[in-house]
Amino acid sequence: MNFALQLIKNKYRDKVKPEDFPECQECGACCAYFRILFSPKENQQVIKLGSNIFLMKKDGRGVMNGTDNFNKGRCVALTGEINTFVSCSIYDNRPDVCRQFQRVLPNGYINPRCLQAKENYDKRLEKERSKNTLDIE
């Protein structure tokens, strides 16, 4: 288990320092864990990006394609390999919820939601790997 995951699991998870946790572009777990919803106001902006980027929900809110099934996919705008190097293909036009998500909080520690995303994504990845290992054997 890597050092960042050890920190996540310890009792001081709300006191993880930025230097002990991957940078956003080395991680990307938030884009594969959280559902990314748009406000109705943002729907008009997102429509311009193309229908492959979002899905329209019954309540009139848009959701980033790939994030509509909580912790089962990944945002279609995320490029690269999670936990290695990632980037956002619509970074300049990303939704407000993405703009507001902070890796480091004003208190100087890593956002617990960041830790939550990383922990759950890594669990999902481990589960997929063990399933694939069983399928091969």
Side-chain angles (χ1 to χ4, degrees):
M1 179 180 298
N2 70 34
F3 183 64
L5 286 180
Q6 289 174 4
L7 286 170
I8 290 168
K9 293 183 182 304
N10 81 26
K11 63 183 179 179
Y12 302 106
R13 70 182 287 148
D14 62 333
K15 300 292 186 202
V16 177
K17 295 180 180 177
E19 59 268 19
D20 295 328
F21 199 77
E23 293 287 336
C24 293
Q25 288 184 307
E26 297 169 357
C27 185
C30 57
C31 303
Y33 180 68
F34 296 114
R35 181 175 289 151
I36 302 170
L37 292 169
F38 305 115
S39 67
K41 176 188 88 171
E42 286 182 300
N43 284 345
Q44 296 308 310
Q45 296 167 317
V46 176
I47 288 171
K48 296 175 187 171
L49 298 175
S51 59
N52 63 321
I53 296 290
F54 73 98
L55 302 169
M56 190 61 69
K57 297 301 225 181
K58 291 179 184 177
D59 65 1
R61 295 181 76 182
V63 62
M64 285 295 288
N65 200 355
T67 70
D68 54 321
N69 291 318
F70 187 69
N71 195 29
K72 298 210 186 316
R74 69 185 258 171
C75 178
V76 296
L78 185 68
T79 62
E81 185 179 340
I82 296 173
N83 288 334
T84 303
F85 181 81
V86 294
S87 63
C88 177
S89 64
I90 62 165
Y91 187 80
D92 291 337
N93 297 301
R94 69 194 185 283
D96 287 343
V97 69
C98 298
R99 289 178 189 280
Q100 294 165 3
F101 192 84
Q102 298 176 341
R103 177 179 168 269
V104 180
L105 296 177
N107 67 7
Y109 294 105
I110 291 292
N111 184 342
R113 293 189 46 106
C114 227
L115 298 172
Q116 176 189 17
K118 175 93 171 108
E119 180 179 23
N120 284 289
Y121 178 78
D122 286 351
K123 282 181 185 176
R124 183 176 97 193
L125 190 61
E126 188 63 36
K127 187 176 178 181
E128 289 171 6
R129 283 183 183 152
S130 66
K131 181 181 180 256
N132 290 339
T133 302
L134 292 175
D135 290 345
I136 293 171
E137 295 173 355

